Amino acid sequence: MNSFKSVSDRKIQTLFPIVLFSIIILGNLRLVLDSFKRNQSNILGIYGRLKGESNNGVRVVVSPEDRLEEGCDVFEGKWIWDNESYPLYEEQSCPYLVKQTTCLKNGRPDSFYQNWRWQPNGCNLPRFEPLKLLDILRGKRMMFIGDSLQRGQFESMVCLVQSVIPEGKKSLHRVPPMKIFKIEEYNASIEYYWAPFIVESISDHATNHTVHKRMVRLDSIAKHGQHWQGVDILVFESYIWWMHKPFINATYGSPDHVTEYNVTTAYRLALKTWADWLELNINPLTQKLFFMTMSPTHLWSWEWKPGSDENCFNELHPIQDPSYWGTGSNLEIMTILQKTIAELKIDVTLLNITQLSEYRKDAHTTIYGERKGKLLTREQRADPKSFADCIHWCLPGVPDTWNQILYAYLLKTFQNFA
Ligand SMILES: *[C@@H]1O[C@H](CO)[C@@H](O)[C@H](O)[C@H]1NC(C)=O
Ligand SMILES: *[C@@H]1O[C@H](CO)[C@@H](O)[C@H](O)[C@H]1NC(C)=O
Ligand SMILES: *[C@@H]1O[C@H](CO)[C@@H](O)[C@H](O)[C@H]1NC(C)=O
Ligand SMILES: *[C@@H]1O[C@H](CO)[C@@H](O)[C@H](O)[C@H]1NC(C)=O
Ligand SMILES: *[C@@H]1O[C@H](CO)[C@@H](O)[C@H](O)[C@H]1NC(C)=O
Ligand SMILES: *[C@@H]1O[C@H](CO)[C@@H](O)[C@H](O)[C@H]1NC(C)=O
């Protein structure tokens, strides 16, 4: 009991100065900006209120430690043991986590996976400051679009910011296929939109879907797209649902003519549809776009432990070999994504989180998650070889780092405008 108390005391002590620090900084900036407001109203109009509404929301100060060094590749680096500052929030303190991610509550005996910090080789990631992010989001909507992995990133983002918002000033709404987290005082929202293929498919129902029966409409996106219109920050992701088999049933052109497509061809056509939609519907001056690269799987332990025949269950440490790359992360798909984005007339920032996540064989939900909406039975848990989930991640965990990187890029945008 005693030792538990001292641990949680220490946590409170280390968190408190961060919060205080942000309040002080933000307070100062407000004063500075107010006095410059008249001269700078044009610039403020662009980066403060992207939609040209009142611009009294500009309070973000990007301090030198926040600045991602020019040319620094935050995606190359290593995981460092840091149980002082990580996790960035506690599992039980975030009421918005779904059962699929609460590994400790579901019985996972170790929490080591929560204590690793991503350290880029040539620079540091800015410290995640929820109040700064909220200021960036003031009057804005940020939406995560994709499958259940993207939902994990959405939940991570909500948990990262929710602790600084008072009770009654925050709320989570389920509006299938969306989840919307509202932050009242900031008139901001963090949202999630279920679209596992980005384009339309028969798997678009928020809960009634199965990976075994897939049919993708490679040239249709309008039904989803109408919900993305005008959203200030869009974060896309789509991979794992494509990869169930080498071929996938799809339509292109005639909606009644279903044929089997090679997955790489299908993915290329779908991204083309997405890209065309963006060019017609996105205003690059007011909307910011991101794409998360594939979240890796750790389904086969022989990939990091040659000769073994298991999966990610019971793994307690990240992979050390810097060149490790699992066979599940298809580089052909990666290239298609890269080319599509390079050819786009508007900017989409590709956040290449695959390599850093490849190292984290220890951080999946394994037998401490859900299967078909239910926690595993005792019998299923006794058979990790068949039932361990080596695709989804525990929270707090790896998706927090993805969001730290997203946060760093959002700060950078502010810095560039300023
Ligand atoms: C942090 O990790 C170190 C090294 O493994 C360990 O000695 C220490 O007890 C840990 N501290 C906490 C608070 O868990
Ligand atoms: C709040 O945000 C929404 C969506 O971003 C925007 O349409 C609306 O005008 C904002 N309201 C105020 C009072 O700023
Ligand atoms: C789920 O969808 C399938 C077809 O897409 C339908 O036949 C079935 O009735 C649906 N189940 C529920 C519970 O809605
Ligand atoms: C799919 O097409 C790509 C080239 O576009 C090819 O490299 C790959 O082998 C094909 N896959 C199958 C299963 O035919
Ligand atoms: C495509 O659909 C047909 C008919 O439902 C099915 O027999 C076939 O296995 C499906 N192909 C793939 C790759 O799922
Ligand atoms: C993402 O990173 C991996 C590993 O460094 C690299 O192989 C891949 O080409 C990168 N993808 C893009 C689109 O830059």
Side-chain angles (χ1 to χ4, degrees):
M1 196 61 219
N2 252 344
S3 72
F4 171 77
K5 189 166 183 289
S6 72
V7 169
S8 53
D9 278 353
R10 202 174 320 152
K11 285 259 160 53
I12 291 167
Q13 276 167 20
T14 51
L15 280 177
F16 189 63
I18 305 176
V19 176
L20 199 64
F21 181 69
S22 335
I23 292 171
I24 292 167
I25 296 233
L26 296 171
N28 279 346
L29 182 74
R30 197 169 313 165
L31 289 179
V32 175
L33 279 179
D34 281 347
S35 55
F36 281 110
K37 216 167 181 175
R38 209 168 296 143
N39 299 338
Q40 304 212 338
S41 57
N42 265 344
I43 299 168
L44 293 179
I46 297 169
Y47 76 91
R49 279 304 313 139
L50 288 175
K51 282 178 177 158
E53 289 146 17
S54 74
N55 52 34
N56 58 9
V58 185
R59 277 160 211 171
V60 182
V61 71
V62 182
S63 60
E65 311 84 72
D66 287 339
R67 218 152 282 183
L68 272 184
E69 280 163 46
E70 212 48 55
C72 172
D73 184 352
V74 295
F75 305 105
E76 271 183 31
K78 55 176 179 293
W79 291 96
I80 307 266
W81 177 254
D82 181 354
N83 58 358
E84 291 288 320
S85 19
Y86 284 75
L88 295 174
Y89 56 90
E90 300 289 339
E91 184 189 282
Q92 71 273 16
S93 70
C94 183
Y96 304 103
L97 287 175
V98 297
K99 269 193 296 199
Q100 191 175 36
T101 59
T102 53
C103 296
L104 293 185
K105 189 172 167 202
N106 301 343
R108 183 164 170 161
D110 74 294
S111 63
F112 300 134
Y113 64 92
Q114 299 189 348
N115 297 129
W116 297 91
R117 172 170 56 82
W118 177 247
Q119 177 62 59
N121 285 337
C123 55
N124 292 315
L125 274 181
R127 189 211 296 266
F128 188 93
E129 293 185 40
L131 289 170
K132 267 189 201 176
L133 182 69
L134 288 177
D135 262 335
I136 290 176
L137 294 183
R138 192 182 291 274
K140 294 194 182 68
R141 298 171 64 196
M142 170 159 70
M143 191 188 283
F144 292 89
I145 296 153
D147 56 26
S148 53
L149 288 154
Q150 190 75 335
R151 189 170 58 222
Q153 189 178 351
F154 158 76
E155 282 176 9
S156 151
M157 190 58 112
V158 169
C159 291
L160 282 166
V161 300
Q162 68 88 23
S163 66
V164 300
I165 309 163
E167 283 312 320
K169 303 286 186 189
K170 54 189 172 186
S171 54
L172 183 73
H173 307 265
R174 286 185 182 77
V175 193
M178 297 182 67
K179 285 186 169 188
I180 304 173
F181 180 70
K182 285 192 176 155
I183 307 141
E184 200 184 296
E185 284 180 340
Y186 287 80
N187 186 33
S189 62
I190 302 173
E191 309 177 20
Y192 167 71
Y193 188 99
W194 167 263
F197 296 98
I198 297 184
V199 293
E200 292 166 26
S201 76
I202 61 165
S203 313
D204 289 341
H205 189 279
T207 48
N208 183 10
H209 51 242
T210 159
V211 78
H212 297 290
K213 231 198 212 153
R214 300 165 305 160
M215 206 286 286
V216 184
R217 303 190 195 287
L218 297 172
D219 55 352
S220 306
I221 198 169
K223 259 187 220 158
H224 296 323
Q226 59 179 329
H227 299 281
W228 310 337
Q229 227 128 17
V231 175
D232 303 275
I233 301 163
L234 289 158
V235 188
F236 292 93
E237 175 268 349
S238 178
Y239 177 67
I240 199 78
W241 276 71
W242 295 93
M243 304 307 287
H244 187 57
K245 290 179 183 163
F247 293 93
I248 188 165
N249 277 325
T251 60
Y252 192 92
S254 164
D256 302 320
H257 185 58
V258 179
T259 39
E260 289 192 349
Y261 280 76
N262 178 331
V263 160
T264 50
T265 308
Y267 194 84
R268 183 179 303 115
L269 291 171
L271 279 195
K272 178 78 172 68
T273 301
W274 168 75
D276 291 345
W277 184 88
L278 292 181
E279 285 186 348
L280 282 176
N281 293 280
I282 291 293
N283 178 350
L285 290 179
T286 60
Q287 292 171 285
K288 187 105 190 78
L289 307 171
F290 294 90
F291 205 110
M292 310 301 297
T293 63
M294 61 200 58
S295 165
T297 58
H298 295 86
L299 302 165
W300 309 285
S301 64
W302 53 259
E303 293 189 282
W304 60 87
K305 208 189 296 166
S308 63
D309 182 25
E310 289 167 61
N311 54 37
C312 70
F313 177 65
N314 254 349
E315 290 292 345
L316 296 179
H317 295 282
I319 291 168
Q320 297 296 330
D321 172 11
S323 66
Y324 176 81
W325 186 270
T327 53
S329 300
N330 185 309
L331 282 170
E332 220 177 322
I333 293 280
M334 184 76 101
T335 307
I336 293 168
L337 183 56
Q338 188 174 25
K339 278 199 183 139
T340 307
I341 288 177
E343 285 163 12
L344 258 172
K345 288 192 204 76
I346 50 183
D347 279 348
V348 177
T349 306
L350 192 64
L351 298 183
N352 194 349
I353 50 84
T354 306
Q355 179 71 74
L356 69 92
S357 314
E358 282 286 0
Y359 302 135
R360 296 306 305 277
K361 62 178 167 58
D362 59 313
H364 292 286
T365 53
T366 69
I367 57 171
Y368 308 108
E370 282 180 315
R371 196 180 175 89
K372 296 182 181 153
K374 291 204 177 82
L375 291 176
L376 266 55
T377 62
R378 187 189 296 253
E379 289 72 32
Q380 289 171 332
R381 286 194 178 184
D383 182 11
K385 219 167 145 178
S386 315
F387 289 100
D389 179 340
C390 297
I391 295 175
H392 297 97
W393 307 93
C394 300
L395 287 177
V398 171
D400 302 331
T401 297
W402 304 345
N403 280 324
Q404 252 185 299
I405 292 173
L406 176 59
Y407 167 76
Y409 274 79
L410 289 171
L411 278 176
K412 199 162 140 180
T413 311
F414 267 76
Q415 173 191 333
N416 288 348
F417 275 120

